Amino acid sequence: MFGLKLKQLRLDKQMSLSDLSRRSGLSISYINEIEKGKKYPKSDKIVALANAMGEEYDSLVSLKLSKRLEPISALLDSNIIGELPLELFGIDPATLLEMLSDAPVKISAFIGTLIEISRNYNVSTEQFYFSALRTYQEMHDNYFEDIELEAERFLSGRGIGPDRVCDEAYLADLLTTGYGYQIETIDERKYPDLAEVRSLAVIRPNRKRLLVNGQLSGVQRTFVYGREIGYDYLKLKKRLYTTDLAYAESFEHLLNNYKASYFASAIIIKRAPLAERLAAFFAQPVFRPELLLDMMEHFNTTPESFCYRVSNVLPRYFGINQLYFLRFTNFAGQDRFDLTKEMHISRKHNPHAIRDEHYCRRWVALTIFRDLNARSEAGSRREVICKSQITRYVDTSDEYFVITFAKPLSHDRHLNVSVSMGIFINEEARKQIMFLNDPAIRHREVNDTCERCPLFDCKERVAAPIVLQRRNKAERLQRAVNRVMRETDKP
């Protein structure tokens, strides 16, 4: 902040680096390094700088910045810059400070705008960390070879071949006998506030306890055990003790939780056997959802974990790297749908989260809830259902092949969840997926939200196209202005 303040004072006084160097007796290169935050001067040098600019010593060293630089000050005072490992995103922290010092007023205005947006939308530090993590995943196509190799090294070291699935009993025994954990069920009577928590790890030097929610299914417990092994095997010290609380002390806590979760997926759903089964599935002349359901049952996993693992494998093994993942929740019988998780690979795709608007009711991610409720009322035994759809966006003509799974949440039978994976239909997708021309797959024109949609005859519409109407009004106004301009330019 001293460097930023020094540079802004110098510019305000219309002094060049040469002017300040001549008046203070300090070299241009030394002053430049101070302004870029690379050096902090000793007291005698600060006295020389203060005298050269006609400022008081105390005023110059004060941490208080001008109003124009307050947003940058707030950013530097926050733990975001210190906690976020910028090198993961290819950013040198020194380079970032240099950018701040090069145009502090303009960047301060930009940062101020971001802060104002975050306040308006109630964006917390934790939400910022989650967004940063999602960006980190998307930058790497959600595939991390180093963790894959660690998982395979773990499996090989225990003699677990490609045909063996790490089930709940094996991982629980490994946690207790191999890693010294004590596995317990959460006592909801003693700790009622932990009733919605899936698991809680209590790690002490002489004791390790893993408290697990008694409402979890065997499949969910398997993943919890695998993630806990991932923390230990990968030697991840900074960690989340429960992922059910949207709280993280630092970005590293969140990143390490992701690494441990990735490791769990990699040992439960091995990449090579999964790729082999996916290849057989894609080679089918027609879409066969039962093959996907059988895969999930074979690998002993949930729809969400399965889709996430498939998103790891598709870019690497099939060259399909333009896809998205969405998770919606819906209370049975209600017409409200909450988007609770999303991820985009290679670019930002449709659909995506849009605040305070009504998502298109033609998406299979939403229509599948009706099918789930109907099957439940009919007494169907199979809890998970799978549907597909080819969606074409009316605004862009982009097409996606969408696979959606839906099931009731185990801890709340009235709350349903759907997870969807959308594959952008391009040449590579058509080359790999043989059943894209299956006439049984439903095709639908869709849009992001009702508020943005020009399909006025849509029977599923639940809101007026107010965003589209505002945009059209602005375009008509612009055309009228352009017409007046052209008429004025005529001789």
Side-chain angles (χ1 to χ4, degrees), residues 33 120 160 185 320 338 355 364 369 425 491:
E33 288 194 316
N120 289 339
I160 301 173
T185 300
I320 298 175
D338 294 314
R355 186 182 175 88
V364 66
F369 286 116
I425 299 179

Side-chain angles (χ1 to χ4, degrees), residues 275-289:
E276 183 179 343
R277 286 173 175 262
L278 285 174
F281 168 67
F282 288 148
Q284 299 296 315
V286 295
F287 175 67
R288 296 181 58 190

Side-chain angles (χ1 to χ4, degrees), residues 123 256 271 371:
V123 178
N256 285 345
R271 56 178 175 175
D371 299 322

Side-chain angles (χ1 to χ4, degrees), residues 180-182 184 202-209:
Y181 277 74
Q182 180 179 340
E184 308 169 28
V202 184
I203 310 299
R204 295 291 183 266
N206 58 346
R207 190 181 181 191
K208 292 187 284 190
R209 300 171 66 199

Side-chain angles (χ1 to χ4, degrees), residues 477-489:
L477 176 60
Q478 186 62 54
R479 286 195 295 269
V481 170
N482 292 341
R483 181 181 176 184
V484 172
M485 295 292 185
R486 288 193 300 270
E487 291 174 352
T488 303
D489 292 337

Side-chain angles (χ1 to χ4, degrees), residues 429-479:
R430 291 192 178 279
K431 185 169 66 176
Q432 295 288 345
I433 306 174
M434 297 296 100
F435 54 73
L436 285 180
N437 293 323
D438 179 5
I441 300 176
R442 190 178 190 185
H443 290 240
R444 299 216 74 183
E445 282 192 309
V446 302
N447 214 312
D448 293 320
T449 66
C450 293
E451 285 80 355
R452 299 165 188 265
C453 185
L455 298 174
F456 295 104
D457 60 344
C458 176
K459 295 179 181 178
E460 292 88 349
R461 178 182 292 281
V462 294
I466 55 176
V467 174
L468 178 65
Q469 290 167 352
R470 284 199 300 264
R471 188 168 62 217
N472 289 342
K473 181 179 179 180
E475 289 174 354
R476 291 195 301 270
L477 176 60
Q478 186 62 54
R479 286 195 295 269

Side-chain angles (χ1 to χ4, degrees), residues 2 6 9-10 13 15 19-26 31 41-61:
F2 180 86
L6 178 67
L9 282 171
R10 177 175 63 79
K13 295 176 181 295
M15 294 173 64
D19 292 334
L20 184 55
S21 173
R22 178 171 45 81
R23 296 183 186 183
S24 66
L26 305 178
I31 296 173
K42 294 182 179 179
S43 296
D44 59 329
K45 303 291 194 302
I46 297 177
V47 169
L49 290 169
N51 291 337
M53 292 193 294
E55 292 287 328
E56 294 290 335
Y57 177 95
D58 290 343
S59 174
L60 191 57
V61 298

Side-chain angles (χ1 to χ4, degrees), residues 168-373:
E168 177 189 0
Y170 175 79
L171 294 181
D173 180 69
L174 182 59
L175 260 184
T176 54
T177 60
Y179 291 93
Y181 277 74
Q182 180 179 340
I183 300 176
E184 308 169 28
T185 300
I186 293 176
D187 187 343
E188 295 184 12
R189 290 177 299 179
K190 187 175 181 180
Y191 305 106
D193 290 333
L194 297 181
E196 299 299 321
V197 172
R198 289 195 172 194
S199 65
L200 174 65
V202 184
I203 310 299
R204 295 291 183 266
N206 58 346
R207 190 181 181 191
K208 292 187 284 190
R209 300 171 66 199
L210 180 63
L211 283 67
V212 182
N213 193 310
Q215 300 298 317
L216 295 188
S217 65
V219 171
Q220 292 170 323
R221 288 193 298 270
T222 302
F223 182 80
V224 169
Y225 300 155
R227 183 177 59 214
E228 204 60 35
I229 291 172
Y231 271 118
D232 210 304
Y233 187 80
L234 298 176
K235 297 179 172 58
L236 303 173
K237 302 301 181 184
K238 292 185 177 181
R239 57 164 298 162
L240 295 180
Y241 294 100
T242 173
T243 55
D244 292 74
L245 301 177
Y247 172 79
E249 294 180 13
S250 71
F251 178 77
E252 189 174 359
H253 285 76
L254 207 58
L255 178 62
N256 285 345
N257 180 74
Y258 171 73
K259 290 179 177 179
S261 299
Y262 191 108
F263 178 89
S265 294
I267 64 173
I268 295 170
I269 310 176
K270 305 177 190 69
R271 56 178 175 175
L274 175 61
E276 183 179 343
R277 286 173 175 262
L278 285 174
F281 168 67
F282 288 148
Q284 299 296 315
V286 295
F287 175 67
R288 296 181 58 190
E290 71 274 10
L291 295 182
L292 293 175
L293 295 172
D294 289 343
M295 267 188 260
M296 283 196 302
E297 188 172 335
H298 171 77
F299 289 113
N300 191 36
T301 188
T302 63
E304 181 172 345
S305 294
F306 179 72
C307 286
Y308 241 64
R309 188 61 177 145
V310 170
S311 75
N312 300 147
V313 168
L314 288 183
R316 176 64 181 265
Y317 285 84
F318 298 91
I320 298 175
N321 61 356
Q322 293 204 46
L323 49 94
Y324 66 78
F325 169 89
L326 299 177
R327 182 181 69 189
F328 281 94
T329 57
N330 164 252
F331 280 98
Q334 295 187 10
D335 192 41
R336 173 179 172 177
F337 306 94
D338 294 314
L339 179 57
T340 56
K341 186 179 288 187
E342 69 174 310
M343 181 184 65
H344 301 259
I345 294 180
S346 287
R347 65 183 176 92
K348 296 298 181 184
H349 297 276
N350 290 323
H352 56 88
I354 299 178
R355 186 182 175 88
D356 298 329
E357 294 184 29
H358 296 80
Y359 296 113
C360 178
R361 268 34 180 190
R362 295 183 172 200
W363 293 348
V364 66
L366 306 188
T367 60
I368 196 171
F369 286 116
R370 292 199 302 266
D371 299 322
L372 182 65
N373 291 332

